[in-house]
């Protein structure tokens, strides 16, 4: 009887695990695989020489080098700015801390097109930093990448710092160690896994950045991601695009393996005992100053964008906001407000999809097992569903077009195609938000519920749901915000008559004219405001000690 019940639970668990695997295989592995197949099987037969030929092109070498060095430098700067801010926002207590934390998180969920436009407006000849002459230079791209990613470091390292035991540092200080010695010998070794993990994720995001590089670099400075887009959409050189996608995927897999090994190190983020924040001391002044400068650096592009959206020919005006009801001088088939409505509808669909899938994935990878094979399988599954973090959204979007165009998977005209793509992009954030929470639940609570006669579903409802509902709402907010701003995959598969707001903004930017540019800025401000409101709600729902990526 007991053996039969155990077999039934294992079968139900295997069936549950199969659901996200099948969905992910159809809507992620198949499209990405089809895109890569264009590179390795260019004429219908295996020919890796095409990939080698593409890699030998001088421009490919320049694109790869540009991607590596900009990603490396941007990651280093994001870590240098993010670590002190993580300490201030997660270990110190001061008025307005939640608001500052939310403000620093907003850039990460802003549409990348909006990020690029905000930075360009800041450094343009008429912007506050125009005198520096950075417009059109690689430095502009670095600013955009750091602006977008510093929140990742703050959140990941901050969550780890929140759970650190204060006593070893206090003991070292009592023995005469200076604050710097305490940090170097006690705090930093404990934080190192989180810092390296955050740096790895930031590097991935920088290496696959699309909207930021496209807006700030144009065709002069291309990363691998934008080069794939240009080869696919403008030059129709599909084998070359597929070859670059293949190189990018190999690099991503290697990085994900490294990140996975780093996560295997005992991670303080899983601790549920979070120390109360302390009042700032004199020794905290340098970290507070760096945090204030970071907040200023993050706020300046957004404020500049807002001001510019109300200025025309040196005077204040609402013309650009009134133009939101039009169609951008005939460039768009719908008004910008209709595009915003489409974005909201699609984001709702993408949110419930990513939440449904992410909850199952998080549940499966956090179930405890006594066998080594079981633990390895769950580690593999955890890494498998993190692939969208680093795989090109452009590759995914184009893969949709070439892999889902024949029965029984002819979905090109389906209204669900865009939400599905956006749900896959948001999936890793949902999983990473829920996994620490579910992993922190003591399994003995479920066993106690079962021993009292509760069915598996009732045990989940009374034990897991009671703990996870709040992080689940926060994950929904993240998924909604990310979907709202998704641009890379959406730009390929969205129907021309129903563009999302990021796509509409890019189309406006792509055509000359003061009205188009001003309308794009006004639309960006509206999109940023909606996204910021969502993030403020998410921050209110935040559970201390959880939420690291």
């Amino acid at each position: 009887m007991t053996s039969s019940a155990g077999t039934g639970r294992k079968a139900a668990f295997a069936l549950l695990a199969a659901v996200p695997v099948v969905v992910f295989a159809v809507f992620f592995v198949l499209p990405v695989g089809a895109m890569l197949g264009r590179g390795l099987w260019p004429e219908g037969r295996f020919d890796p020489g095409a990939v080698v030929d593409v890699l030998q092109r001088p421009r490919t070498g320049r694109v790869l080098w540009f991607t590596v060095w900009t990603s490396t430098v941007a990651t280093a700067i994001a870590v240098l700015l993010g670590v002190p801010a993580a300490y201030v926002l997660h270990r110190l207590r001061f008025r307005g801390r939640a608001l500052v934390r939310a403000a620093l998180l907003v850039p990460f969920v802003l549409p990348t097109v909006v990020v690029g436009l905000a930075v360009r407006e800041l450094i343009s000849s008429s912007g506050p930093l125009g005198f520096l002459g950075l417009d059109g230079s690689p430095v502009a791209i670095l600013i955009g990448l750091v602006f977008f990613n510093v929140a990742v470091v703050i959140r990941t390292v901050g969550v780890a710092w929140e759970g650190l035991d204060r006593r070893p540092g206090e003991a070292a200080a009592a023995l005469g160690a200076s604050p710097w010695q305490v940090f170097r010998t006690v705090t930093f070794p404990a934080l190192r896994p989180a810092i390296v993990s955050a740096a790895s994720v930031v590097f991935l995001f920088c290496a696959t950045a699309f909207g930021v590089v496209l807006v700030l670099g144009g065709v002069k400075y291309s990363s691998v991601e934008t080069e794939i887009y240009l080869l696919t959409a403008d030059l129709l050189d599909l084998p070359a695009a597929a070859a670059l996608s293949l190189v990018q995927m190999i690099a991503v897999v290697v990085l994900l393996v490294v990140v996975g090994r780093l996560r295997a190190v005992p991670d303080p983020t899983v601790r549920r005992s979070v120390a109360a924040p302390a009042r700032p001391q004199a020794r905290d002044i340098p970290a507070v100053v760096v945090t204030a400068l970071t907040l200023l650096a993050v706020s300046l592009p957004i404020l500049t964008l807002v001001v510019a959206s109300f200025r025309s020919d040196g005077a204040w005006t609402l013309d650009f906001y009134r133009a939101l009801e039009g169609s951008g001088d005939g460039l768009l088939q719908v008004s910008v407000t209709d595009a915003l409505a489409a974005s909201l509808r699609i984001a709702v669909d993408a949110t419930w999809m990513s939440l449904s899938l992410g909850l199952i994935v998080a549940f499966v990878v956090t179930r405890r097992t006594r066998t080594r094979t079981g633990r390895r399988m769950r580690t593999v599954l955890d890494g498998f569903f993190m692939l969208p973090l680093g795989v090109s959204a452009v590759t995914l979007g184009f893969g949709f077009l070439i892999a889902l165009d024949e029965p029984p998977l002819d979905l090109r005209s389906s209204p669900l195609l865009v939400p599905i793509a956006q749900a896959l992009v948001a999936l890793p954030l949902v999983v990473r938000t829920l996994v620490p929470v579910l992993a922190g639940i003591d399994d003995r609570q479920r066993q106690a519920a079962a021993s009292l006669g509760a069915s598996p579903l009732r045990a989940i409802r009374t034990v897991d749901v009671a703990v996870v509902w709040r992080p689940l709402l926060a994950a929904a907010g993240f998924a909604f915000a990310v979907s709202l701003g998704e641009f890379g995959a959406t730009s390929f598969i969205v129907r021309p008559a129903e563009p999302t707001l990021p796509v509409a903004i890019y189309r406006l930017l792509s055509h000359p004219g003061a009205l188009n540019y001003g309308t794009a800025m006004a639309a960006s401000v509206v999109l940023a405001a909606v996204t910021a409101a969502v993030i403020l709600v998410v921050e209110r729902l935040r559970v201390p000690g959880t939420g690291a990526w």
Side-chain angles (χ1 to χ4, degrees):
M1 183 72 176
T2 304
S3 172
S4 175
T7 304
R9 281 197 296 271
K10 288 181 180 176
F13 184 78
L15 187 61
L16 184 67
V19 171
V21 171
V22 171
V23 172
F24 203 72
V26 172
F27 292 108
F28 184 82
V29 177
L30 181 62
V32 173
M35 181 68 180
L36 298 182
R38 294 294 179 99
L40 292 174
W41 285 267
E43 302 293 336
R45 55 188 174 81
F46 184 65
D47 183 14
V51 175
V52 176
D53 177 62
V54 171
L55 294 179
Q56 288 177 340
R57 297 178 185 175
R59 179 174 171 83
T60 302
R62 290 197 298 272
V63 168
L64 289 173
W65 169 240
F66 184 80
T67 304
V68 170
W69 83 258
T70 52
S71 301
T72 303
V73 174
T75 300
I77 298 173
V79 170
L80 289 175
L81 294 177
V83 170
Y87 169 75
V88 171
L89 297 175
H90 290 265
R91 293 299 293 255
L92 300 182
R93 182 178 72 250
F94 57 91
R95 184 171 296 182
R97 186 175 69 140
L99 184 62
V100 175
R101 200 155 52 194
L104 288 173
L105 184 59
V106 166
F108 177 68
V109 292
L110 281 181
T112 52
V113 174
V114 175
V115 172
L117 182 57
V119 172
R120 193 166 81 177
E121 193 59 31
L122 177 69
I123 61 177
S124 66
S125 57
S126 59
L129 300 184
F131 65 93
L132 295 176
L134 300 177
D135 194 11
S137 72
V139 177
I141 296 174
L142 286 176
I143 293 173
L145 294 176
V146 174
F147 173 81
F148 184 72
N149 286 297
V150 70
V152 176
V153 180
I154 293 174
R155 195 167 182 85
T156 303
V157 179
V159 169
W161 216 325
E162 224 170 33
L164 283 186
D165 190 347
R166 293 176 183 271
R167 289 173 295 182
E170 292 172 350
L175 292 173
S178 66
W180 169 246
Q181 288 175 317
V182 171
F183 177 80
R184 186 171 55 83
T185 59
V186 178
T187 308
F188 180 74
L191 287 178
R192 188 167 49 203
I195 294 174
V196 178
S197 181
S200 305
V201 174
V202 169
F203 186 88
L204 277 177
F205 286 154
C206 292
T208 57
F210 178 57
V212 173
V213 182
L214 192 63
V215 173
L216 295 171
V219 296
K220 185 178 181 182
Y221 298 107
S222 280
S223 65
V224 171
E225 188 83 354
T226 57
E227 187 71 3
I228 292 171
Y229 176 80
L230 294 173
L231 288 169
T232 304
D234 291 354
L235 304 178
L236 300 179
D237 190 351
L238 300 187
L244 278 180
S245 296
L246 184 62
V247 172
Q248 187 184 45
M249 179 165 283
I250 292 172
V252 166
V253 169
V254 171
L255 271 173
L256 286 178
V257 170
V258 173
V259 172
R261 288 185 175 277
L262 292 172
R263 287 206 184 101
V265 177
D267 190 344
T269 62
V270 300
R271 291 190 52 170
R272 308 296 303 150
S273 57
V274 178
R279 295 180 65 84
Q281 306 292 323
R283 64 175 181 271
D284 300 324
I285 290 176
V288 172
V289 170
V290 173
T291 305
L293 292 175
T294 304
L295 180 62
L296 178 65
V298 166
S299 304
L300 203 53
I302 298 175
L303 292 176
T304 304
L305 179 66
V306 173
V307 171
S309 69
F310 289 101
R311 302 281 292 175
S312 177
D313 296 328
W316 296 98
T317 180
L318 292 174
D319 286 351
F320 299 143
Y321 287 88
R322 294 192 186 97
L324 295 177
E325 288 297 331
S327 55
D329 201 20
L331 294 173
L332 306 173
Q333 298 180 25
V334 299
S335 70
V336 178
T337 49
D338 288 338
L340 174 60
S343 287
L344 293 172
R345 285 197 306 272
I346 291 170
V348 169
D349 287 337
T351 299
W352 70 257
M353 290 177 186
S354 61
L355 271 188
S356 304
L357 208 59
L359 187 58
I360 297 175
V361 172
F363 181 79
V364 169
V365 302
T366 55
R367 294 304 90 180
R368 289 174 175 79
T369 178
R370 297 176 181 176
T371 66
R372 178 178 293 181
T373 303
R375 289 194 292 271
R376 284 182 177 174
M377 284 297 296
R378 285 167 190 184
T379 301
V380 170
L381 279 177
D382 192 19
F384 182 58
F385 290 105
M386 290 301 104
L387 280 175
L389 268 181
V391 172
S392 162
V394 172
T395 299
L396 179 64
F398 191 70
F400 268 45
L401 291 182
I402 61 177
L404 305 179
D405 62 340
E406 295 180 356
L409 292 172
D410 187 2
L411 302 175
R412 286 174 300 177
S413 59
S414 171
L416 293 179
L417 201 59
V418 176
I420 290 172
Q422 294 185 354
L424 291 173
V425 173
L427 179 64
L429 295 181
V430 174
V431 173
R432 290 266 67 83
T433 301
L434 297 179
V435 162
V437 180
L438 289 173
I441 298 175
D442 193 338
D443 204 40
R444 289 173 295 185
Q445 297 180 44
R446 302 188 186 99
Q447 295 170 0
S451 67
L452 293 173
S455 65
L457 283 178
R458 187 172 181 181
I460 290 173
R461 190 172 68 247
T462 55
V463 176
D464 295 67
V465 174
V467 176
V468 83
W469 72 267
R470 196 169 175 178
L472 194 62
L473 288 177
F478 274 126
F480 185 83
V482 169
S483 301
L484 205 57
E486 208 288 322
F487 175 62
T490 306
S491 62
F492 273 90
I493 57 180
V494 72
R495 287 182 284 191
E498 298 178 358
T500 61
L501 192 49
V503 172
I505 292 171
Y506 182 69
R507 288 180 186 172
L508 290 169
L509 289 176
S510 303
H511 292 77
L515 180 61
N516 289 330
Y517 190 76
T519 307
M521 286 193 293
S524 298
V525 171
V526 172
L527 188 53
V530 174
T531 307
V534 173
I535 290 306
L536 284 173
V537 174
V538 169
E539 192 59 31
R540 296 283 296 176
L541 293 168
R542 182 176 171 275
V543 178
T546 66
W549 294 303

